Amino acid sequence: MDNAVAHQLREENKSKSHESIKNEAKVLIASYVDDNHIPTGTDLTEYYQTIGSILEVHFDTAHSYHLARQGFLEYIRSYNKAHELSMDEPVVPVIAERDHLTISYDWMVSGAQVSLASQQIIEIWQRKRRFSNNDLIESVLYCSVMYGGLNDIDVLKALYQWLLGERDIYQLQLPATDELPDSGVSSESLALILLSIDDDNYGCSYTQSHTSEDVSATSLQRYVEYIPDDMTLCFLYALKDKKLKKENVKSFETIISDICKKLKLQNKDKSKPHLSQLILD
């Protein structure tokens, strides 16, 4: 890692990502300016609004649009300097900061429908005589969200990848929380799954034993210790002796889409499973 520490790599990766977005915006702006020359000496409000609309289409999140507008500002400043002009500079919007609520607005709107879906999925399981490997993986992911509280899209994807690997599970022995007098039970067992996630914005240096062989030496990893719920463990047990081949297993996005279809939950974009009502993050 060239002796670079994790926080330096995070900062470098974040800076490169931001510059990439701004440069992409500058290319779009330059293309528009080539076809529609900037009218000097006149009000540029409509001209800037048109460019802003182009940027809105290509940068569909508040953060990426904010960076694109920064690129817009830098482009106009460079244009002014190169042509010795003093055109008005475009405004860069300020992103309002707010606390990230554990129970978000989406849950207030769709939570009841998602909760009712729990009864539907149980009825689907009861009608099945045989579970295919895809059914078992689908059930693991569903249970991890609904009963295990795993509602982080990156962690869910890491869990999906873990299912396709060796599926190592560790056992924790903890003091019993509801020990009965003279029961002889002084500890309880918990299953633990270790997951690693590529995260260049907030991660630490990787450990080869916890990551796949194709991970770059400069890649940063975020580690998550996941304790699965009892329902998830049931389906993991059913997968215990099964060898899963990636080519025979549905993609993560398809599985989330299939669950939403079964439960009549909205799945807004198959390529963005976190926009489905099943995963309200």
mmCIF file of all heavy atoms in Angstrom, residues 21 25 29 50 93 98 124 126 178 238 241 256 258 268:
data_model
loop_
_atom_site.group_PDB
_atom_site.id
_atom_site.type_symbol
_atom_site.label_atom_id
_atom_site.label_comp_id
_atom_site.label_asym_id
_atom_site.label_seq_id
_atom_site.Cartn_x
_atom_site.Cartn_y
_atom_site.Cartn_z
ATOM 1 N N ILE A 21 -16.345 13.398 -11.175
ATOM 2 C CA ILE A 21 -17.699 13.910 -11.426
ATOM 3 C C ILE A 21 -17.634 15.314 -12.000
ATOM 4 O O ILE A 21 -18.339 15.655 -12.973
ATOM 5 C CB ILE A 21 -18.525 13.890 -10.133
ATOM 6 C CG1 ILE A 21 -18.790 12.445 -9.697
ATOM 7 C CG2 ILE A 21 -19.854 14.634 -10.317
ATOM 8 C CD1 ILE A 21 -19.473 12.312 -8.354
ATOM 9 N N ALA A 25 -18.821 16.643 -15.737
ATOM 10 C CA ALA A 25 -19.726 17.774 -15.942
ATOM 11 C C ALA A 25 -19.115 18.788 -16.903
ATOM 12 O O ALA A 25 -19.810 19.336 -17.778
ATOM 13 C CB ALA A 25 -20.039 18.431 -14.595
ATOM 14 N N ILE A 29 -20.641 20.330 -20.386
ATOM 15 C CA ILE A 29 -20.815 21.774 -20.568
ATOM 16 C C ILE A 29 -20.066 22.247 -21.811
ATOM 17 O O ILE A 29 -20.585 23.032 -22.615
ATOM 18 C CB ILE A 29 -20.317 22.527 -19.315
ATOM 19 C CG1 ILE A 29 -21.193 22.159 -18.109
ATOM 20 C CG2 ILE A 29 -20.341 24.029 -19.545
ATOM 21 C CD1 ILE A 29 -20.599 22.551 -16.775
ATOM 22 N N THR A 50 -30.426 26.214 -18.762
ATOM 23 C CA THR A 50 -30.391 25.096 -19.715
ATOM 24 C C THR A 50 -29.256 24.133 -19.359
ATOM 25 O O THR A 50 -29.436 22.910 -19.355
ATOM 26 C CB THR A 50 -30.208 25.612 -21.151
ATOM 27 O OG1 THR A 50 -31.274 26.505 -21.472
ATOM 28 C CG2 THR A 50 -30.211 24.452 -22.138
ATOM 29 N N PRO A 93 -25.472 25.156 -5.514
ATOM 30 C CA PRO A 93 -26.443 24.970 -4.419
ATOM 31 C C PRO A 93 -25.771 24.417 -3.168
ATOM 32 O O PRO A 93 -24.779 23.697 -3.241
ATOM 33 C CB PRO A 93 -27.446 23.957 -5.001
ATOM 34 C CG PRO A 93 -26.665 23.213 -6.038
ATOM 35 C CD PRO A 93 -25.705 24.213 -6.622
ATOM 36 N N ARG A 98 -28.997 16.962 7.427
ATOM 37 C CA ARG A 98 -30.028 16.554 8.368
ATOM 38 C C ARG A 98 -29.612 15.236 9.018
ATOM 39 O O ARG A 98 -28.805 14.499 8.474
ATOM 40 C CB ARG A 98 -31.382 16.374 7.681
ATOM 41 C CG ARG A 98 -31.383 15.300 6.621
ATOM 42 C CD ARG A 98 -32.775 15.069 6.079
ATOM 43 N NE ARG A 98 -32.777 13.998 5.086
ATOM 44 C CZ ARG A 98 -33.881 13.471 4.585
ATOM 45 N NH1 ARG A 98 -35.052 13.895 4.978
ATOM 46 N NH2 ARG A 98 -33.809 12.504 3.679
ATOM 47 N N ILE A 124 -46.252 -18.532 1.808
ATOM 48 C CA ILE A 124 -45.545 -19.033 0.618
ATOM 49 C C ILE A 124 -44.626 -20.181 1.016
ATOM 50 O O ILE A 124 -44.570 -21.217 0.348
ATOM 51 C CB ILE A 124 -44.747 -17.895 -0.051
ATOM 52 C CG1 ILE A 124 -45.707 -16.872 -0.682
ATOM 53 C CG2 ILE A 124 -43.800 -18.452 -1.117
ATOM 54 C CD1 ILE A 124 -45.030 -15.626 -1.206
ATOM 55 N N GLN A 126 -44.940 -22.189 3.561
ATOM 56 C CA GLN A 126 -45.734 -23.357 3.997
ATOM 57 C C GLN A 126 -46.292 -24.142 2.812
ATOM 58 O O GLN A 126 -46.521 -25.349 2.912
ATOM 59 C CB GLN A 126 -46.863 -22.893 4.919
ATOM 60 C CG GLN A 126 -46.374 -22.440 6.286
ATOM 61 C CD GLN A 126 -47.500 -21.897 7.147
ATOM 62 O OE1 GLN A 126 -48.512 -21.407 6.634
ATOM 63 N NE2 GLN A 126 -47.334 -21.979 8.468
ATOM 64 N N ASP A 178 -30.895 -14.862 30.491
ATOM 65 C CA ASP A 178 -32.097 -15.254 31.233
ATOM 66 C C ASP A 178 -31.841 -16.557 32.003
ATOM 67 O O ASP A 178 -32.645 -17.473 31.979
ATOM 68 C CB ASP A 178 -33.296 -15.423 30.289
ATOM 69 C CG ASP A 178 -32.994 -16.392 29.153
ATOM 70 O OD1 ASP A 178 -31.830 -16.806 29.032
ATOM 71 O OD2 ASP A 178 -33.923 -16.709 28.395
ATOM 72 N N ALA A 238 -30.267 -25.166 6.119
ATOM 73 C CA ALA A 238 -30.727 -25.905 4.936
ATOM 74 C C ALA A 238 -29.697 -25.829 3.803
ATOM 75 O O ALA A 238 -29.627 -26.726 2.955
ATOM 76 C CB ALA A 238 -32.065 -25.355 4.464
ATOM 77 N N ASP A 241 -24.895 -28.136 3.414
ATOM 78 C CA ASP A 241 -24.101 -29.067 2.603
ATOM 79 C C ASP A 241 -24.222 -28.822 1.105
ATOM 80 O O ASP A 241 -23.820 -29.658 0.301
ATOM 81 C CB ASP A 241 -24.523 -30.511 2.918
ATOM 82 C CG ASP A 241 -24.271 -30.881 4.371
ATOM 83 O OD1 ASP A 241 -23.210 -30.470 4.897
ATOM 84 O OD2 ASP A 241 -25.121 -31.555 4.981
ATOM 85 N N ILE A 256 -33.921 -9.667 -5.177
ATOM 86 C CA ILE A 256 -34.688 -8.612 -4.504
ATOM 87 C C ILE A 256 -35.943 -8.287 -5.306
ATOM 88 O O ILE A 256 -37.043 -8.123 -4.753
ATOM 89 C CB ILE A 256 -33.831 -7.343 -4.316
ATOM 90 C CG1 ILE A 256 -32.648 -7.625 -3.383
ATOM 91 C CG2 ILE A 256 -34.680 -6.196 -3.754
ATOM 92 C CD1 ILE A 256 -33.030 -8.067 -1.995
ATOM 93 N N ASP A 258 -37.558 -10.311 -7.342
ATOM 94 C CA ASP A 258 -38.487 -11.440 -7.239
ATOM 95 C C ASP A 258 -39.252 -11.413 -5.913
ATOM 96 O O ASP A 258 -40.455 -11.698 -5.872
ATOM 97 C CB ASP A 258 -37.730 -12.765 -7.371
ATOM 98 C CG ASP A 258 -37.274 -13.037 -8.803
ATOM 99 O OD1 ASP A 258 -37.734 -12.310 -9.699
ATOM 100 O OD2 ASP A 258 -36.471 -13.961 -9.007
ATOM 101 N N LYS A 268 -38.652 -0.078 -7.485
ATOM 102 C CA LYS A 268 -38.603 1.047 -8.413
ATOM 103 C C LYS A 268 -37.577 0.877 -9.525
ATOM 104 O O LYS A 268 -37.768 1.336 -10.638
ATOM 105 C CB LYS A 268 -38.321 2.337 -7.623
ATOM 106 C CG LYS A 268 -39.384 2.623 -6.570
ATOM 107 C CD LYS A 268 -39.029 3.832 -5.734
ATOM 108 C CE LYS A 268 -40.056 4.049 -4.623
ATOM 109 N NZ LYS A 268 -39.710 5.174 -3.749
#
